[in-house]
Amino acid sequence: MVKHTAQREFEGWKEFCSRPLQERLPLFSRDGRIYDVLFSQQFNRPFLDFLYGLTNRIRRIAKSREGMIWLHKLHAHQRAMLYFVQPSTRTFLSFLNACHILGFHTSEIRDPQTSSEIKGESPEDSIRTFSSYVDLIIMRHPQEGFAEKTAWLLNDFSDRPVPVINAGSGRDQHPTQALLDVYTLQRSFEEIGGIDGKVIAMVGDLNRGRTVRSLSYLMKNYNGVKILYAAPPAFQIGEDIREFLQSHGIHYEEHDSLESVLPEADAIYMTRIQDEHDVKGESQSEYEAFSLGKEHLARMKPHAIIMHPLPRRGEIDVMVDKDPRAVYWRQERNGMWTRTALLAVIFGTDEKIEAEGDLFLS
Ligand code: CP
């Protein structure tokens, strides 16, 4: 068991984090370019449109051997640290492979039992250590707000800032998941007017799932979107998200069954019951009622897509995978490409990809 010795709080952090988010955000950009990626609220529509255009361009360049080799040289002089001290399969692997596509050399810590945290070193001191060696830190951490604290610490307190990417922070946010989710929505709705005006159903454990929170924030960038939240009452979406939607004029409804949202939804975003947060097994009784099976497919719109951030358990029957509307495996692959584009934007390589990438497009 990792035991951290109590340390004094860094002077300035409490004051900084008590400010409204909009006042904190400028610290996390440089010269109008995103630097630390911490919250979905950092992304506006021009940024999203640009990122997704760049994602498509990188995918096309990467189709040829020559294009892949060219991409690989862009960051061959730089190093990235993946600090993932909460379990992860696809976020870790997609970031790792995104780094490798662009040539970053990578190091990782996935278990604090194997780092000097086991000797009592604080996570904050661990982060400062990483910044001694690398040009980028990508982190998943169980503590809400720790990614932001890390970015603040490196920007304001230390003399060696490096960009920090939040790859999932406690129950709070998973902003890069939201980026790939919206990319998947956009590509899926390309032929039917894009995301504007669409009805997105989010289903499952909405109160304890960070992906639906980050995705909800991103919906402010699209016109006329309606969100249907379908969850057991105890696991409905949090009040802070409802307040955010109201303040941005985003229409939403709360439902207590999966069946009631199927006919209206253009996208059904299923999520896993997060029973790791249970106190006494309270999730079990709710699990089956929020599971999608073959019997539900006929009640969906013909063009409606089924998404899931994964991992799944029983909330989508494996036989649903065969339905052409099931896009979650594609969604997962999209993560690697949107994250590759995001790294390029943070480091300004997007300009080179825009200027020289045509050489590799057939
Ligand atoms: N979607 C997601 O965050 O998956 P992992 O936990 O496997 O990274």
Side-chain angles (χ1 to χ4, degrees):
M1 172 135 162
V2 175
K3 284 209 171 106
H4 296 122
T5 312
Q7 285 189 332
R8 284 182 63 189
E9 189 52 273
F10 293 92
E11 205 170 295
W13 165 242
K14 273 204 169 148
E15 190 281 319
F16 178 79
C17 71
S18 67
R19 295 185 207 161
L21 181 64
Q22 289 308 320
E23 287 179 27
R24 308 200 307 268
L25 289 184
L27 183 66
F28 307 123
S29 304
R30 298 278 161 94
D31 305 323
R33 182 177 284 277
I34 197 161
Y35 186 78
D36 302 297
V37 179
L38 305 168
F39 313 98
S40 279
Q41 296 95 311
Q42 287 175 277
F43 312 133
N44 57 26
R45 182 72 179 260
F47 174 86
L48 294 171
D49 289 345
F50 178 77
L51 184 80
Y52 298 149
L54 183 66
T55 304
N56 290 338
R57 189 169 176 78
I58 290 172
R59 290 178 80 151
R60 287 181 63 203
I61 294 169
K63 280 189 190 304
S64 70
R65 183 175 179 275
E66 292 72 21
M68 198 52 124
I69 290 170
W70 182 76
L71 287 169
H72 193 69
K73 287 182 183 156
L74 294 175
H75 290 275
H77 58 298
Q78 286 176 302
R79 296 175 300 279
M81 172 75 201
L82 287 92
Y83 176 60
F84 274 62
V85 289
Q86 243 194 344
S88 169
T89 298
R90 71 222 77 240
T91 310
F92 175 80
L93 284 176
S94 61
F95 263 122
L96 185 73
N97 285 288
C99 285
H100 291 169
I101 288 168
L102 293 177
F104 283 95
H105 298 266
T106 54
S107 3
E108 63 192 58
I109 287 180
R110 303 203 63 182
D111 182 354
Q113 301 277 346
T114 65
S115 80
S116 282
E117 287 188 50
I118 196 74
K119 302 177 213 164
E121 182 167 56
S122 68
E124 288 87 346
D125 283 2
S126 299
I127 296 290
R128 290 196 70 167
T129 302
F130 305 154
S131 76
S132 297
Y133 305 129
V134 300
D135 304 288
L136 166 70
I137 297 172
I138 304 166
M139 61 184 296
R140 171 170 288 192
H141 201 276
Q143 190 182 321
E144 287 164 32
F146 188 67
E148 181 186 6
K149 186 177 186 185
T150 297
W152 170 84
L153 183 71
L154 297 180
N155 282 314
D156 246 22
F157 205 88
S158 86
D159 55 3
R160 197 180 147 69
V162 299
V164 173
I165 301 179
N166 176 5
S169 51
R171 293 192 214 174
D172 179 33
Q173 284 243 11
H174 196 347
T176 64
Q177 175 73 43
L179 287 178
L180 74 94
D181 291 341
V182 171
Y183 179 72
T184 305
L185 287 166
Q186 182 167 306
R187 279 175 77 87
S188 302
F189 298 150
E190 218 158 38
E191 308 288 318
I192 53 168
I195 299 173
D196 294 332
K198 295 295 185 294
V199 178
I200 318 287
M202 302 189 197
V203 181
D205 190 344
L206 308 179
N207 190 27
R208 303 182 295 186
R210 57 195 172 199
T211 63
V212 287
R213 294 174 55 77
S214 290
L215 182 57
S216 297
Y217 284 125
L218 274 198
M219 289 299 106
K220 83 169 195 315
N221 296 298
Y222 297 90
N223 297 319
V225 167
K226 180 172 163 186
I227 306 177
L228 309 177
Y229 292 115
F235 301 120
Q236 256 302 351
I237 195 77
E239 192 175 342
D240 58 337
I241 297 292
R242 283 183 271 136
E243 280 172 8
F244 177 87
L245 298 176
Q246 285 158 17
S247 69
H248 288 84
I250 302 167
H251 193 52
Y252 71 92
E253 293 173 5
E254 293 173 59
H255 291 253
D256 60 7
S257 78
L258 168 64
E259 280 72 12
S260 64
V261 300
L262 289 177
E264 194 185 348
D266 298 295
I268 297 159
Y269 190 98
M270 300 296 295
T271 65
R272 172 176 72 83
I273 293 281
Q274 313 258 327
D275 57 5
E276 64 267 37
H277 301 296
D278 274 12
V279 179
K280 46 182 188 315
E282 56 270 32
S283 301
Q284 286 311 311
S285 56
E286 312 288 357
Y287 191 78
E288 291 208 348
F290 290 84
S291 300
L292 189 80
K294 279 181 81 175
E295 68 279 14
H296 295 112
L297 297 175
R299 301 197 56 209
M300 290 169 45
K301 288 179 179 174
H303 69 256
I305 57 167
I306 304 164
M307 299 174 68
H308 195 306
L310 302 175
R312 73 168 157 193
R313 294 209 205 137
E315 63 277 358
I316 300 181
D317 189 313
V318 293
M319 295 312 291
V320 172
D321 295 8
K322 284 251 179 218
D323 192 284
R325 294 168 293 181
V327 301
Y328 29 91
W329 297 112
R330 200 179 311 154
Q331 177 186 355
E332 172 180 85
R333 285 193 295 278
N334 288 341
M336 181 176 76
W337 296 113
T338 49
R339 287 168 172 140
T340 305
L342 181 66
L343 298 179
V345 170
I346 292 170
F347 286 92
T349 329
D350 52 294
E351 290 170 9
K352 195 171 171 74
I353 294 170
E354 292 293 340
E356 300 174 25
D358 276 354
L359 289 170
F360 304 98
L361 300 180
S362 48

